[in-house]
Amino acid sequence: MFKKIICATDMNIKGSTAIVKAVQLAHQFNSDIILLNVHEEFMTKEEMEMLRVRVGTIQEEFEKTAMQAKKEMKDVLLSLHAEDVKVEFSIKEGKPQKVICEEAARTNADLIIMGTSRKPNISKYLLGTTASYVIEHAKIPVLVVPLPI
């Protein structure tokens, strides 16, 4: 049923419930998983120049952040005994809600899995959440996994 699953994660340890669900479904349907981690803080070269920041220094920091995120994703998968699941790691920059939808379309994914927090936040009421944006804009089913109570 699901050949390719995108699991969007911010690598918050509590948020790994979405990864757990992705691995369970991958085992059940013999699916591939794309673990997607989106970093909004990445800046374009022009933005860095406007801030008078050395582009090389910032780029090195971004690369370190990306490598750390990939290591954390691998560690979570090892703890879930997902060695038999084909997993691709994707680290992107941009607005998470838009990147998740774009990557789902680009990769021809069948399902998006993502977590959500239960903590109310005034900005969520004013701006909406990443999950609500993805649910509204994705062209495929979205499974939102809440944090445990």
Side-chain angles (χ1 to χ4, degrees):
M1 183 172 186
F2 301 115
K3 297 279 184 208
K4 192 177 293 183
I5 298 170
I6 285 194
C7 181
T9 176
D10 63 1
M11 292 316 302
N12 179 340
I13 297 304
K14 294 178 184 176
S16 66
T17 55
I19 298 174
V20 170
K21 185 54 70 180
V23 169
Q24 289 171 345
L25 288 174
H27 280 131
Q28 183 176 351
F29 294 107
N30 196 28
S31 309
D32 296 342
I33 297 174
I34 299 172
L35 273 183
L36 176 62
N37 181 237
V38 183
H39 290 265
E40 191 170 358
E41 68 271 8
F42 289 170
M43 292 183 278
T44 66
K45 184 176 178 180
E46 292 78 22
E47 290 170 327
M48 287 185 265
E49 288 172 353
M50 284 177 28
L51 293 173
R52 298 179 187 210
V53 176
R54 280 195 26 226
V55 175
T57 302
I58 295 297
Q59 192 62 37
E60 288 173 16
E61 287 302 313
F62 292 160
E63 288 173 13
K64 285 180 190 175
T65 300
M67 294 306 291
Q68 181 61 31
K70 186 173 181 178
K71 181 190 177 310
E72 289 174 12
M73 287 190 281
K74 284 183 176 181
D75 290 345
V76 170
L77 285 172
L78 283 174
S79 72
L80 296 173
H81 307 290
E83 298 85 12
D84 58 332
V85 177
K86 181 180 175 195
V87 179
E88 176 185 330
F89 299 95
S90 183
I91 301 169
K92 301 288 182 180
E93 60 183 288
K95 298 284 185 191
Q97 60 272 30
K98 290 185 178 184
V99 173
I100 293 166
C101 293
E102 290 167 359
E103 285 299 296
R106 187 186 68 76
T107 61
N108 295 314
D110 303 300
L111 176 68
I112 298 170
I113 299 177
M114 58 192 305
T116 186
S117 74
R118 293 183 183 267
K119 294 181 181 178
N121 181 333
I122 190 68
S123 67
K124 289 181 182 179
Y125 296 113
L126 298 174
L127 304 172
T129 64
T130 300
S132 62
Y133 180 95
V134 172
I135 290 167
E136 188 174 322
H137 292 88
K139 306 284 190 232
I140 60 174
V142 179
L143 174 61
V144 179
V145 183
L147 292 175
I149 296 176

